[in-house]
Amino acid sequence: MVTLAERSIVATAPPIVGARLDVREVDHGFVLNGEDLPVLEDVSFGVAPGEFVALLGPSGCGKSTLLRLVAGLDQPRHGHLVVDGEEVTEPDPSRVVVFQDPTLYPWRTVWRNASLGLEARGLLKQQRSRVDEALALVGLDRFAHVYPHQLSGGMAQRASLARALVNDPKLLILDEPLGKLDSLTRLAMQSELTRLWQTRGFTVLMVTHDVEEALLLSNRVIVFSDRPARLRADLVVDLPYPRHRDHPELLRLRREILGLLGLGGDW
């Protein structure tokens, strides 16, 4: 059995298979009760292949809206989202979203939930082994035939990650995937996410409201203003993995980010 310590070891030369993402001058908004509600304003940034980028900002500023645009679930009013040189116009199996809630089908086993992507694409018969491999990666191989109601919150989120990994994503889009977990489970899942990213080499774009989580997991932290969201800062986190919460540079970046979010005087 692989221990948590072994899972935290950084691969010396992890394969980089992730996609490049370019967000170019994106504006977006909605009509609410007959009035225009701007949500994103002139948002531009790039994400290199294999990079882990966290998005931080006030609640409701537009971070999750941006993730939907990157996933191809919605189209921007203005601007462009480009993945590996191709305009994003619709969802694609190479870009997979994991939400805060596991969204597992209660009538399907863990294995059948994880197999949904392959099944929808007509590939399950030829590629069944990928489901087993994904469940083993997240430590759920022994729970393949149980149902969602038999899982803890952390295990259910692992099942959601397995469902995403089955598709071999080049870009993993995470919308507060650990937000509803208890603190101890969240710490374990942070280590798990880091391990999966390091060993698989995909690109990660993650929304979180936890400043410490962003700094522990990501290469870069992008900080947004209040709605309509504009970029306030793009900070590089140049620290080795595994990271420690009391590292002086991490504490300095934490203070800087909290100041950008208007909370510097409270900490």
Side-chain angles (χ1 to χ4, degrees):
M1 180 178 292
V2 179
T3 67
L4 184 59
E6 289 170 329
R7 289 180 174 183
S8 298
I9 295 174
V10 181
T12 54
I16 303 299
V17 299
R20 174 170 182 85
L21 167 67
D22 290 290
V23 179
R24 302 173 180 167
E25 300 175 344
V26 167
D27 290 352
H28 196 59
F30 306 100
V31 175
L32 184 65
N33 298 325
E35 294 186 11
D36 187 60
L37 179 69
V39 176
L40 301 169
E41 186 173 282
D42 194 26
V43 173
S44 297
F45 63 90
V47 181
E51 198 170 19
F52 194 132
V53 175
L55 308 181
L56 283 170
S59 181
C61 74
K63 303 181 297 299
S64 294
T65 296
L66 178 59
L67 291 192
R68 290 184 60 84
L69 298 179
V70 172
L73 299 172
D74 296 314
Q75 295 299 305
R77 288 181 173 180
H78 302 288
H80 304 276
L81 296 106
V82 179
V83 174
D84 285 342
E86 298 288 332
E87 188 96 14
V88 175
T89 58
E90 60 185 359
D92 187 273
S94 67
R95 302 187 306 274
V96 182
V97 186
V98 177
F99 296 101
Q100 187 178 70
D101 293 307
T103 62
L104 301 173
Y105 290 112
W107 58 88
R108 297 177 71 114
T109 63
V110 167
W111 197 96
R112 296 295 294 175
N113 268 286
S115 70
L116 277 168
L118 293 178
E119 188 177 324
R121 293 155 60 198
L123 300 174
L124 183 57
K125 186 175 181 180
Q126 307 97 299
Q127 300 184 18
R128 292 178 63 87
S129 63
R130 285 172 60 179
V131 182
D132 299 322
E133 290 166 4
L135 290 175
L137 271 173
V138 301
L140 286 182
D141 41 323
R142 295 175 58 193
F143 298 88
H145 301 296
V146 306
Y147 288 87
H149 75 273
Q150 297 172 289
L151 301 176
S152 67
M155 293 170 73
Q157 199 60 294
R158 285 172 186 264
S160 287
L161 279 171
R163 182 173 58 193
L165 294 174
V166 162
N167 292 294
D168 238 357
K170 298 183 71 178
L171 175 57
L172 187 62
I173 303 166
L174 305 175
D175 193 359
E176 281 210 88
L178 313 182
K180 291 189 175 179
L181 302 180
D182 66 85
S183 59
L184 292 179
T185 303
R186 187 166 187 157
L187 292 176
M189 287 297 294
Q190 287 170 353
S191 296
E192 193 74 7
L193 270 177
T194 304
R195 180 186 68 86
L196 290 170
W197 164 64
Q198 289 171 335
T199 55
R200 299 301 290 267
F202 44 67
T203 304
V204 180
L205 189 66
M206 180 181 76
V207 162
T208 178
H209 284 102
D210 188 322
V211 174
E212 188 176 82
E213 180 171 88
L215 292 170
L216 286 170
L217 300 184
S218 65
N219 303 132
R220 285 164 54 210
V221 177
I222 294 176
V223 183
F224 288 100
S225 69
D226 206 345
R227 190 180 61 242
R230 306 175 187 86
L231 262 69
R232 295 206 62 192
D234 188 340
L235 305 172
V236 175
V237 188
D238 188 15
L239 293 171
Y241 296 89
R243 293 175 179 167
H244 302 284
R245 287 162 174 77
D246 58 354
H247 191 288
E249 177 63 6
L250 191 146
L251 294 174
R252 185 195 68 78
L253 286 167
R254 184 173 181 270
R255 286 192 297 270
E256 181 176 351
I257 291 170
L258 289 171
L260 289 166
L261 295 172
L263 297 171
D266 298 333
W267 299 89

